[in-house]
Amino acid sequence: MRPEKTDLRREAGQRTRDDLLAAALELLAQRGQEGVTLREITQNAGANVAAVSYHFGSLKALCEVTIEHALERYLDAQIRELDALDGTATLSELAEAFARPMMSALAAGGRDLAVIRTVARVGIDPPEGWERLAEKFEQARRKAVRVLAANLPEADERELVFRVRCAAGMLNWLALAPIGAELAAEPADRVERMLVPVVAGSFRGAR
């Protein structure tokens, strides 16, 4: 086979793979893994069932790859935001960095929002293979706890980790609840003004 034909076939195969991932992401964001069917994914991607078997092996494997990509994208964005904080960061600055990936997705909509909603669904009901990304989750958590510890020296590490997990759970809920759709319709600066103090409050706690 001529090299140019091989390249065209490879490109076409990559496009089909990408289309399957995009279709799976949209459906996972809407319904979660239990609500996704092979027929809907292939119809939305303009592909056939054989393409799923060829590129991923099964519907389950396609969903797992899609979820893992979404989680990595979200965690990488959150880690970048947290990395930008220095040792003098306030709780409000931490809250802004922690919530930035979600706020950006609400403003952007489309694929970015689908990523956040997929992450939120699996955050509530973790899939098999979740542990593959355990180090990235731990990295984000450590960075957040470091800033919390500087602001709240009276709280022990276990309590600070709990607050980070609660803040993450709240963001997951917002991404899926009706109020998330309401926030998506608001201007980005208003979403930030509304959301950051609430996340900061969950970090601060009360005694």
Side-chain angles (χ1 to χ4, degrees):
M1 185 179 293
R2 292 164 58 184
E4 56 269 26
K5 287 189 176 180
T6 300
D7 290 343
L8 287 173
R9 288 185 63 181
R10 187 179 298 114
E11 290 173 7
Q14 185 61 51
R15 281 197 301 273
T16 298
R17 188 177 191 278
D18 291 344
D19 288 344
L20 287 168
L21 286 168
L25 177 65
E26 190 62 37
L27 290 170
L28 285 166
Q30 293 173 15
R31 305 178 197 158
Q33 193 166 352
E34 297 304 317
V36 170
T37 67
L38 184 60
R39 180 179 179 182
E40 283 182 299
I41 288 177
T42 52
Q43 282 183 338
N44 291 359
N48 55 43
V49 173
V52 174
S53 298
Y54 176 78
H55 289 287
F56 300 98
S58 67
L59 172 62
K60 181 174 183 289
L62 168 57
C63 290
E64 287 176 351
V65 171
T66 304
I67 289 168
E68 188 165 338
H69 285 183
L71 284 168
E72 283 197 289
R73 182 170 171 179
Y74 172 79
L75 288 170
D76 286 344
Q78 191 173 65
I79 289 168
R80 281 195 303 272
E81 293 290 337
L82 294 171
D83 271 339
L85 300 176
D86 61 27
T88 65
T90 65
L91 291 182
S92 289
E93 289 169 336
L94 171 61
E96 182 179 348
F98 195 80
R100 177 60 58 196
M102 179 180 172
M103 293 190 295
S104 297
L106 287 170
R111 182 179 178 83
D112 288 347
L113 188 53
V115 165
I116 293 296
R117 286 180 173 160
T118 298
V119 168
R121 288 188 185 282
V122 300
I124 293 169
D125 184 18
E128 294 179 14
W130 176 273
E131 64 276 3
R132 288 197 297 270
L133 293 170
E135 177 53 35
K136 283 197 174 185
F137 278 103
E138 182 59 26
Q139 185 180 353
R141 191 176 296 128
R142 283 197 308 267
K143 291 177 183 297
V145 167
R146 174 179 55 85
V147 177
L148 280 180
N151 282 272
L152 303 167
E154 73 283 0
D156 62 30
E157 183 174 357
R158 183 180 179 185
E159 185 175 350
L160 297 179
V161 169
F162 177 75
R163 293 185 191 188
V164 172
R165 294 179 68 183
C166 285
M170 180 178 64
L171 292 176
N172 287 342
W173 176 80
L174 283 171
L176 298 175
I179 194 173
E182 294 173 21
L183 287 174
E186 296 282 354
D189 59 342
R190 178 168 170 76
V191 172
E192 184 171 326
R193 288 198 307 272
M194 293 170 66
L195 186 55
V196 169
V198 176
V199 178
S202 71
F203 286 147
R204 184 174 295 107
R207 288 184 180 276

